[in-house]
Amino acid sequence: MKITVLDGYGLNPGDLSWEGLAELGELTVYDRTAPTDIYERSKDSEILLTNKTRLDADTIARLPKLRYIGVLATGYNVVDTEAAKTHGVTVTNIPAYSTMSVAQQVFALILAITNKVEHYAEENHAGRWSRNPDFCYWDTPLTELAGKTIGIVGLGNIGKAVARIAIAFGMRVIAYTSKKQEEMPEGIEKKELCEVFAESDVLTLHCPLTPETEKMVTDTTLSLMRPTAILINTGRGPLIDEGAVAEALRTGRLGAFGADVLSSEPPATDNPLLTAPNTYITPHIAWATKEARERLMGIAVNNVSAFLEGKAENVV
């Protein structure tokens, strides 16, 4: 059984082991695969693993030996699943491996905005505190989260984890979700989407990217928000209209924006958010703690093993 990993570097830049997969077949791992190399590297493989390398309908049709595609992520839009189904190819993903890591990153972004730790650390590296005439100083607003309202759009595993942390901080938690109020975890109020936008001091997005949610943050929805509000996106980049968010930041209609995802990654140098004020952007790292990547690797191995045993798991 020939197993090929098309873009393994993101998952494993060298601090994990591919041994579990190697035990299941003849394994070849590529750090990255350009579109022009996909066919040549895949043509003899029964099993392909991909993270962000796209496997479209034409590619799948040209791979008659292919039996299985394992997506090394939760989102699987990089694979044409209808084409895979037509050609009898099983597709799996990796659910719920990074829940706590992403929730942690949400609050890392929130705290970066409210507490400005990096700013003060850098100032003090430069000697500012040592030169200060008083025992302390601050030149930015410092904000306490207790008593503030956090709005969560999408109440899946990550949304619920964020809610639990927010409750521990003493925040009021409201959410837009398909769940009924009686199904809501304790301490979370169900609200309509417009109410979540209007009432939140912090608004964080945790919904899937669908035609209905694409660019759900627009000039219109931003106009509902408080001008001091913080917007956080660790979900999918296209959930927001990046130009509209950048303009709201520049004109003082939005307090701050924190994100771990953008609509195109790596972003174009002219992406307006890269130069917008009060913007805190990390390079899609919320999922990438070693602990989360170890879980991802373990689930990937289990997915392939289950498929080979005729009991496929996490099929999409």
Side-chain angles (χ1 to χ4, degrees):
M1 184 67 62
K2 185 171 176 54
I3 303 171
T4 299
V5 180
L6 292 172
D7 51 0
Y9 188 86
L11 166 59
N12 180 17
D15 57 347
L16 303 180
S17 172
W18 295 107
E19 182 178 349
L21 280 175
E23 292 174 353
L24 299 176
E26 179 188 345
L27 177 66
T28 302
V29 179
Y30 297 100
D31 283 349
R32 303 167 188 85
T33 295
T36 52
D37 294 327
I38 294 173
Y39 172 72
E40 191 62 32
R41 293 180 175 184
S42 305
K43 64 181 181 180
D44 295 321
S45 299
E46 291 92 353
I47 291 175
L48 287 180
L49 299 180
T50 180
N51 191 328
K52 295 295 182 286
T53 301
R54 292 190 172 275
L55 296 171
D56 59 21
D58 289 341
T59 300
I60 292 169
R62 296 175 65 201
L63 301 173
K65 294 183 180 180
L66 185 61
R67 297 172 52 200
Y68 172 94
I69 298 171
V71 181
L72 298 172
T74 302
Y76 50 89
N77 58 305
V78 296
V79 177
D80 189 320
T81 54
E82 286 301 315
K85 183 177 180 181
T86 298
H87 292 278
V89 177
T90 298
V91 181
T92 67
N93 73 336
I94 314 287
Y97 71 92
S98 63
T99 297
M100 294 312 301
S101 291
V102 176
Q104 178 177 312
Q105 184 74 5
V106 169
F107 275 87
L109 290 166
I110 293 170
L111 293 170
I113 293 166
T114 59
N115 289 61
K116 302 292 194 298
V117 171
E118 183 178 9
H119 165 71
Y120 290 105
E122 290 300 319
E123 288 287 287
N124 294 338
H125 279 308
R128 181 173 175 183
W129 197 8
S130 299
R131 298 189 301 269
N132 200 61
D134 303 308
F135 78 96
C136 69
Y137 71 90
W138 63 91
D139 56 10
T140 67
L142 299 172
T143 303
E144 184 175 88
L145 292 177
K148 301 296 189 296
T149 297
I150 186 169
I152 302 173
V153 179
L155 207 60
N157 291 325
I158 295 172
K160 287 187 287 189
V162 168
R164 291 194 297 270
I165 298 170
I167 290 169
F169 269 105
M171 302 183 77
R172 173 190 177 222
V173 181
I174 61 177
Y176 176 70
T177 173
S178 59
K179 293 179 173 63
K180 298 177 181 178
Q181 181 61 59
E182 56 266 28
E183 300 172 330
M184 301 284 279
E186 185 177 355
I188 305 176
E189 304 171 49
K190 180 180 172 71
K191 294 281 185 176
E192 295 300 321
L193 186 60
C194 60
E195 295 175 312
V196 172
F197 274 89
E199 296 180 27
S200 297
D201 297 296
V202 179
L203 177 63
T204 180
L205 306 178
H206 300 290
C207 53
L209 178 62
T210 66
E212 291 72 33
T213 63
E214 185 172 2
K215 291 190 176 180
M216 68 186 307
V217 179
T218 62
D219 280 325
T220 300
T221 49
L222 285 165
S223 70
L224 301 173
M225 297 181 70
R226 300 170 181 175
T228 56
I230 297 168
L231 174 63
I232 303 291
N233 185 17
T234 58
R236 294 289 184 268
L239 292 173
I240 72 165
D241 180 328
E242 293 175 338
V245 171
E247 184 62 19
L249 290 162
R250 290 193 181 96
T251 57
R253 293 183 291 113
L254 180 65
F257 175 65
D260 188 54
V261 290
L262 292 175
S263 60
S264 178
E265 298 172 347
T269 56
D270 62 353
N271 185 306
L273 288 172
L274 297 179
T275 54
N278 299 321
T279 300
Y280 299 74
I281 297 174
T282 52
H284 206 140
I285 58 172
W287 70 282
T289 62
K290 188 173 183 183
E291 293 83 355
R293 289 184 293 110
E294 286 174 338
R295 283 191 292 272
L296 193 161
M297 181 73 82
I299 296 169
V301 172
N302 288 339
N303 280 352
V304 174
S305 179
F307 169 75
L308 293 175
E309 293 171 2
K311 300 178 291 185
E313 298 177 358
N314 297 316
V315 176
V316 298

